[in-house]
Amino acid sequence: VVEGKSTIVAAHGNSLRALSMALEQLTPATVASLEISTADLIIYELGPDAGIVSKKIYKSAQAIHES
């Protein structure tokens, strides 16, 4: 990620919530209500300082083919 390369993370919902919490600087209360369904695809584009430049959420594999 630091070298500007694409990275794939596939994980359980709780692990993904923890990653989202760190990337988005969410509070524990906010992340507790965060719903990440099975097969959701979340794409973060990070800047040179590892801050979020953009975030896209696809709710199914079909949605990515439609974008």
Side-chain angles (χ1 to χ4, degrees):
V1 172
V2 175
E3 296 174 359
K5 296 182 179 179
S6 296
T7 304
I8 295 174
V9 176
H12 186 272
N14 287 335
S15 300
L16 294 174
R17 281 184 198 82
L19 183 58
S20 293
M21 184 175 177
L23 286 172
E24 299 181 42
Q25 301 177 352
L26 302 174
T27 65
T30 303
V31 82
S33 64
L34 183 62
E35 275 297 320
I36 302 174
S37 300
T38 301
D40 279 0
L41 177 60
I42 304 171
I43 300 175
Y44 292 100
E45 181 183 349
L46 304 178
D49 63 349
I52 296 173
V53 174
S54 68
K55 175 183 175 183
K56 296 178 185 175
I57 300 173
Y58 298 95
K59 298 304 280 181
S60 69
Q62 181 65 32
I64 202 163
H65 295 292
E66 295 172 359
S67 64

